[in-house]
Amino acid sequence: KQEVTQIPAALSVPEGENLVLNCSFTDSAIYNLQWFRQDPGKGLTSLLLIQSSQREQTSGRLNASLDKSSGRSTLYIAASQPGDSATYLCAVNSNEKLTFGTGTRLTIIP
Amino acid sequence: NAGVMQNPRHLVRRRGQEARLRCSPMKGHSHVYWYRQLPEEGLKFMVYLQKENIIDESGMPKERFSAEFPKEGPSILRIQQVVRGDSAAYFCASSATRGTNTEAFFGQGTRLTVV
């Protein structure tokens, strides 16, 4: 059974800093891994998708890495902004099912 | 191209009533997934459907819950005889493909409150 863990559960950083969010998973037999952001009371916005054969993906200030053999992924956010404040969710796709971590609640302090 | 559309956004039901949640996938997407987010918990997979077929319902409670994705029209998640423990946010996602290229796009969710 796939299990996904995200550390830390909450993080507060001053505006402008770079930061890293961590995700680990127990079963390396995955199709892909997605990072999402969720704003309070809202749906999920897909940020990045990394296929199982890929090592990293980049979109603007976001960079996600995947080390399938060790069961780890990181989301790097450069030059953080107050608008980045949200909950960030890591989800692993195994057999067409997404298994989610419980998220990292990020607060960017202006 | 509209995203995944869910309605209603908020639904209040009394205990014992039925709740019907609707999901229209993105245009061209034939794969639909339902997830549930209980208060203070992560999202949990419920069911995966393709047009007219249930592919994987391993996350669905055995009783009172059912899902369909007919040839025409939206996918429906139906909860019969709701109880307070059914109060949660229900999210629908859709994708165009299966496998490693599968990127799931989520709707805004339906927040069900059972009173």
mmCIF file of all heavy atoms in Angstrom, chain A residues 76-106:
data_model
loop_
_atom_site.group_PDB
_atom_site.id
_atom_site.type_symbol
_atom_site.label_atom_id
_atom_site.label_comp_id
_atom_site.label_asym_id
_atom_site.label_seq_id
_atom_site.Cartn_x
_atom_site.Cartn_y
_atom_site.Cartn_z
ATOM 1 N N TYR A 76 11.004 22.964 -5.184
ATOM 2 C CA TYR A 76 11.815 24.138 -4.888
ATOM 3 C C TYR A 76 11.075 25.363 -5.407
ATOM 4 O O TYR A 76 10.663 25.399 -6.577
ATOM 5 C CB TYR A 76 13.179 23.983 -5.567
ATOM 6 C CG TYR A 76 14.089 25.173 -5.473
ATOM 7 C CD1 TYR A 76 14.873 25.384 -4.345
ATOM 8 C CD2 TYR A 76 14.195 26.077 -6.517
ATOM 9 C CE1 TYR A 76 15.743 26.461 -4.259
ATOM 10 C CE2 TYR A 76 15.044 27.166 -6.448
ATOM 11 C CZ TYR A 76 15.819 27.352 -5.322
ATOM 12 O OH TYR A 76 16.664 28.429 -5.249
ATOM 13 N N ILE A 77 10.899 26.352 -4.539
ATOM 14 C CA ILE A 77 10.253 27.607 -4.927
ATOM 15 C C ILE A 77 11.284 28.722 -4.769
ATOM 16 O O ILE A 77 11.810 28.940 -3.657
ATOM 17 C CB ILE A 77 9.007 27.914 -4.076
ATOM 18 C CG1 ILE A 77 7.999 26.768 -4.170
ATOM 19 C CG2 ILE A 77 8.373 29.228 -4.516
ATOM 20 C CD1 ILE A 77 6.757 26.950 -3.292
ATOM 21 N N ALA A 78 11.583 29.388 -5.842
ATOM 22 C CA ALA A 78 12.566 30.468 -5.821
ATOM 23 C C ALA A 78 11.876 31.807 -5.593
ATOM 24 O O ALA A 78 10.747 32.022 -6.033
ATOM 25 C CB ALA A 78 13.329 30.498 -7.140
ATOM 26 N N ALA A 79 12.589 32.680 -4.902
ATOM 27 C CA ALA A 79 12.139 34.068 -4.710
ATOM 28 C C ALA A 79 10.672 34.122 -4.303
ATOM 29 O O ALA A 79 9.834 34.679 -5.017
ATOM 30 C CB ALA A 79 12.383 34.875 -5.986
ATOM 31 N N SER A 80 10.365 33.560 -3.164
ATOM 32 C CA SER A 80 8.971 33.408 -2.738
ATOM 33 C C SER A 80 8.249 34.752 -2.647
ATOM 34 O O SER A 80 8.843 35.799 -2.351
ATOM 35 C CB SER A 80 8.920 32.692 -1.386
ATOM 36 O OG SER A 80 9.659 33.402 -0.422
ATOM 37 N N GLN A 81 6.931 34.690 -2.899
ATOM 38 C CA GLN A 81 6.063 35.874 -2.882
ATOM 39 C C GLN A 81 4.860 35.592 -1.991
ATOM 40 O O GLN A 81 4.471 34.426 -1.816
ATOM 41 C CB GLN A 81 5.578 36.171 -4.301
ATOM 42 C CG GLN A 81 6.686 36.388 -5.308
ATOM 43 C CD GLN A 81 6.157 36.477 -6.731
ATOM 44 O OE1 GLN A 81 4.967 36.335 -6.991
ATOM 45 N NE2 GLN A 81 7.064 36.737 -7.666
ATOM 46 N N PRO A 82 4.231 36.637 -1.437
ATOM 47 C CA PRO A 82 3.047 36.413 -0.590
ATOM 48 C C PRO A 82 1.965 35.592 -1.292
ATOM 49 O O PRO A 82 1.265 34.802 -0.643
ATOM 50 C CB PRO A 82 2.580 37.832 -0.281
ATOM 51 C CG PRO A 82 3.831 38.648 -0.306
ATOM 52 C CD PRO A 82 4.672 38.050 -1.425
ATOM 53 N N GLY A 83 1.847 35.734 -2.607
ATOM 54 C CA GLY A 83 0.854 34.968 -3.358
ATOM 55 C C GLY A 83 1.134 33.474 -3.416
ATOM 56 O O GLY A 83 0.270 32.701 -3.833
ATOM 57 N N ASP A 84 2.321 33.077 -2.977
ATOM 58 C CA ASP A 84 2.649 31.648 -2.923
ATOM 59 C C ASP A 84 2.063 30.978 -1.687
ATOM 60 O O ASP A 84 2.120 29.752 -1.555
ATOM 61 C CB ASP A 84 4.168 31.446 -2.915
ATOM 62 C CG ASP A 84 4.837 31.904 -4.197
ATOM 63 O OD1 ASP A 84 4.185 31.871 -5.266
ATOM 64 O OD2 ASP A 84 6.019 32.303 -4.135
ATOM 65 N N SER A 85 1.530 31.757 -0.768
ATOM 66 C CA SER A 85 0.940 31.190 0.447
ATOM 67 C C SER A 85 -0.244 30.294 0.089
ATOM 68 O O SER A 85 -1.189 30.736 -0.570
ATOM 69 C CB SER A 85 0.469 32.307 1.387
ATOM 70 O OG SER A 85 1.556 33.099 1.821
ATOM 71 N N ALA A 86 -0.162 29.052 0.506
ATOM 72 C CA ALA A 86 -1.171 28.031 0.177
ATOM 73 C C ALA A 86 -0.724 26.725 0.812
ATOM 74 O O ALA A 86 0.350 26.657 1.429
ATOM 75 C CB ALA A 86 -1.301 27.848 -1.329
ATOM 76 N N THR A 87 -1.538 25.693 0.641
ATOM 77 C CA THR A 87 -1.118 24.340 1.023
ATOM 78 C C THR A 87 -0.634 23.623 -0.225
ATOM 79 O O THR A 87 -1.308 23.631 -1.260
ATOM 80 C CB THR A 87 -2.267 23.562 1.679
ATOM 81 O OG1 THR A 87 -2.630 24.203 2.899
ATOM 82 C CG2 THR A 87 -1.854 22.124 1.977
ATOM 83 N N TYR A 88 0.530 23.018 -0.138
ATOM 84 C CA TYR A 88 1.137 22.324 -1.269
ATOM 85 C C TYR A 88 1.016 20.825 -1.028
ATOM 86 O O TYR A 88 1.416 20.311 0.016
ATOM 87 C CB TYR A 88 2.592 22.747 -1.437
ATOM 88 C CG TYR A 88 2.681 24.160 -1.963
ATOM 89 C CD1 TYR A 88 2.518 25.249 -1.097
ATOM 90 C CD2 TYR A 88 2.874 24.415 -3.321
ATOM 91 C CE1 TYR A 88 2.538 26.548 -1.583
ATOM 92 C CE2 TYR A 88 2.904 25.715 -3.810
ATOM 93 C CZ TYR A 88 2.731 26.768 -2.932
ATOM 94 O OH TYR A 88 2.759 28.057 -3.409
ATOM 95 N N LEU A 89 0.463 20.144 -2.014
ATOM 96 C CA LEU A 89 0.195 18.711 -1.910
ATOM 97 C C LEU A 89 1.021 17.946 -2.927
ATOM 98 O O LEU A 89 1.118 18.330 -4.093
ATOM 99 C CB LEU A 89 -1.284 18.430 -2.170
ATOM 100 C CG LEU A 89 -2.275 19.049 -1.189
ATOM 101 C CD1 LEU A 89 -3.694 18.942 -1.722
ATOM 102 C CD2 LEU A 89 -2.189 18.354 0.163
ATOM 103 N N CYS A 90 1.585 16.859 -2.469
ATOM 104 C CA CYS A 90 2.303 15.925 -3.317
ATOM 105 C C CYS A 90 1.394 14.722 -3.528
ATOM 106 O O CYS A 90 0.766 14.247 -2.577
ATOM 107 C CB CYS A 90 3.591 15.534 -2.601
ATOM 108 S SG CYS A 90 4.439 14.101 -3.239
ATOM 109 N N ALA A 91 1.293 14.228 -4.764
ATOM 110 C CA ALA A 91 0.435 13.082 -5.050
ATOM 111 C C ALA A 91 1.162 12.112 -5.971
ATOM 112 O O ALA A 91 1.712 12.522 -7.004
ATOM 113 C CB ALA A 91 -0.867 13.535 -5.688
ATOM 114 N N VAL A 92 1.162 10.852 -5.601
ATOM 115 C CA VAL A 92 1.835 9.808 -6.361
ATOM 116 C C VAL A 92 0.794 8.978 -7.099
ATOM 117 O O VAL A 92 -0.187 8.532 -6.501
ATOM 118 C CB VAL A 92 2.653 8.914 -5.405
ATOM 119 C CG1 VAL A 92 3.242 7.744 -6.163
ATOM 120 C CG2 VAL A 92 3.744 9.717 -4.731
ATOM 121 N N ASN A 93 1.005 8.796 -8.391
ATOM 122 C CA ASN A 93 0.087 8.025 -9.231
ATOM 123 C C ASN A 93 0.580 6.586 -9.338
ATOM 124 O O ASN A 93 1.641 6.320 -9.902
ATOM 125 C CB ASN A 93 0.002 8.661 -10.617
ATOM 126 C CG ASN A 93 -1.036 7.985 -11.513
ATOM 127 O OD1 ASN A 93 -1.340 6.806 -11.344
ATOM 128 N ND2 ASN A 93 -1.550 8.716 -12.468
ATOM 129 N N SER A 94 -0.200 5.683 -8.748
ATOM 130 C CA SER A 94 0.081 4.249 -8.855
ATOM 131 C C SER A 94 -1.168 3.583 -9.393
ATOM 132 O O SER A 94 -2.230 3.695 -8.782
ATOM 133 C CB SER A 94 0.430 3.645 -7.485
ATOM 134 O OG SER A 94 1.421 4.402 -6.836
ATOM 135 N N ASN A 95 -1.071 2.921 -10.529
ATOM 136 C CA ASN A 95 -2.238 2.230 -11.104
ATOM 137 C C ASN A 95 -3.454 3.132 -11.244
ATOM 138 O O ASN A 95 -4.567 2.743 -10.886
ATOM 139 C CB ASN A 95 -2.600 1.010 -10.259
ATOM 140 C CG ASN A 95 -1.524 -0.052 -10.301
ATOM 141 O OD1 ASN A 95 -0.866 -0.249 -11.318
ATOM 142 N ND2 ASN A 95 -1.331 -0.723 -9.182
ATOM 143 N N GLU A 96 -3.248 4.338 -11.738
ATOM 144 C CA GLU A 96 -4.303 5.297 -12.032
ATOM 145 C C GLU A 96 -4.949 5.907 -10.787
ATOM 146 O O GLU A 96 -5.944 6.603 -10.897
ATOM 147 C CB GLU A 96 -5.400 4.667 -12.918
ATOM 148 C CG GLU A 96 -4.909 3.993 -14.169
ATOM 149 C CD GLU A 96 -4.160 4.929 -15.097
ATOM 150 O OE1 GLU A 96 -4.390 6.164 -15.045
ATOM 151 O OE2 GLU A 96 -3.329 4.443 -15.876
ATOM 152 N N LYS A 97 -4.408 5.623 -9.611
ATOM 153 C CA LYS A 97 -4.927 6.227 -8.389
ATOM 154 C C LYS A 97 -3.879 7.164 -7.825
ATOM 155 O O LYS A 97 -2.700 6.811 -7.749
ATOM 156 C CB LYS A 97 -5.225 5.145 -7.341
ATOM 157 C CG LYS A 97 -6.389 4.271 -7.668
ATOM 158 C CD LYS A 97 -6.725 3.358 -6.510
ATOM 159 C CE LYS A 97 -5.773 2.203 -6.417
ATOM 160 N NZ LYS A 97 -6.299 1.148 -5.523
ATOM 161 N N LEU A 98 -4.328 8.342 -7.417
ATOM 162 C CA LEU A 98 -3.430 9.272 -6.743
ATOM 163 C C LEU A 98 -3.494 9.044 -5.239
ATOM 164 O O LEU A 98 -4.583 9.004 -4.661
ATOM 165 C CB LEU A 98 -3.821 10.716 -7.057
ATOM 166 C CG LEU A 98 -3.577 11.217 -8.475
ATOM 167 C CD1 LEU A 98 -4.080 12.650 -8.630
ATOM 168 C CD2 LEU A 98 -2.110 11.139 -8.835
ATOM 169 N N THR A 99 -2.320 8.898 -4.639
ATOM 170 C CA THR A 99 -2.215 8.859 -3.187
ATOM 171 C C THR A 99 -1.578 10.171 -2.753
ATOM 172 O O THR A 99 -0.475 10.503 -3.198
ATOM 173 C CB THR A 99 -1.359 7.675 -2.711
ATOM 174 O OG1 THR A 99 -1.936 6.459 -3.184
ATOM 175 C CG2 THR A 99 -1.306 7.641 -1.186
ATOM 176 N N PHE A 100 -2.282 10.901 -1.898
ATOM 177 C CA PHE A 100 -1.857 12.234 -1.493
ATOM 178 C C PHE A 100 -1.155 12.218 -0.147
ATOM 179 O O PHE A 100 -1.500 11.437 0.752
ATOM 180 C CB PHE A 100 -3.069 13.165 -1.366
ATOM 181 C CG PHE A 100 -3.620 13.638 -2.675
ATOM 182 C CD1 PHE A 100 -4.521 12.862 -3.394
ATOM 183 C CD2 PHE A 100 -3.253 14.870 -3.191
ATOM 184 C CE1 PHE A 100 -5.035 13.301 -4.602
ATOM 185 C CE2 PHE A 100 -3.766 15.321 -4.398
ATOM 186 C CZ PHE A 100 -4.653 14.534 -5.109
ATOM 187 N N GLY A 101 -0.194 13.134 -0.003
ATOM 188 C CA GLY A 101 0.298 13.466 1.308
ATOM 189 C C GLY A 101 -0.678 14.423 1.985
ATOM 190 O O GLY A 101 -1.644 14.887 1.358
ATOM 191 N N THR A 102 -0.429 14.720 3.243
ATOM 192 C CA THR A 102 -1.330 15.613 3.969
ATOM 193 C C THR A 102 -0.971 17.080 3.761
ATOM 194 O O THR A 102 -1.663 17.952 4.256
ATOM 195 C CB THR A 102 -1.352 15.288 5.466
ATOM 196 O OG1 THR A 102 -0.020 15.194 5.926
ATOM 197 C CG2 THR A 102 -2.084 13.984 5.718
ATOM 198 N N GLY A 103 0.101 17.331 3.026
ATOM 199 C CA GLY A 103 0.392 18.692 2.604
ATOM 200 C C GLY A 103 1.326 19.465 3.504
ATOM 201 O O GLY A 103 1.555 19.113 4.674
ATOM 202 N N THR A 104 1.888 20.522 2.932
ATOM 203 C CA THR A 104 2.677 21.511 3.675
ATOM 204 C C THR A 104 1.968 22.846 3.544
ATOM 205 O O THR A 104 1.755 23.321 2.423
ATOM 206 C CB THR A 104 4.106 21.623 3.125
ATOM 207 O OG1 THR A 104 4.808 20.405 3.342
ATOM 208 C CG2 THR A 104 4.852 22.775 3.811
ATOM 209 N N ARG A 105 1.610 23.426 4.694
ATOM 210 C CA ARG A 105 0.936 24.723 4.686
ATOM 211 C C ARG A 105 2.006 25.805 4.700
ATOM 212 O O ARG A 105 2.728 25.974 5.680
ATOM 213 C CB ARG A 105 0.022 24.849 5.891
ATOM 214 C CG ARG A 105 -0.879 26.088 5.866
ATOM 215 C CD ARG A 105 -1.819 26.087 7.060
ATOM 216 N NE ARG A 105 -2.600 24.867 7.131
ATOM 217 C CZ ARG A 105 -3.330 24.525 8.193
ATOM 218 N NH1 ARG A 105 -3.366 25.295 9.252
ATOM 219 N NH2 ARG A 105 -4.029 23.408 8.183
ATOM 220 N N LEU A 106 2.128 26.518 3.586
ATOM 221 C CA LEU A 106 3.182 27.518 3.420
ATOM 222 C C LEU A 106 2.622 28.919 3.624
ATOM 223 O O LEU A 106 1.592 29.277 3.036
ATOM 224 C CB LEU A 106 3.780 27.398 2.013
ATOM 225 C CG LEU A 106 4.835 28.421 1.614
ATOM 226 C CD1 LEU A 106 6.082 28.285 2.493
ATOM 227 C CD2 LEU A 106 5.202 28.284 0.140
#
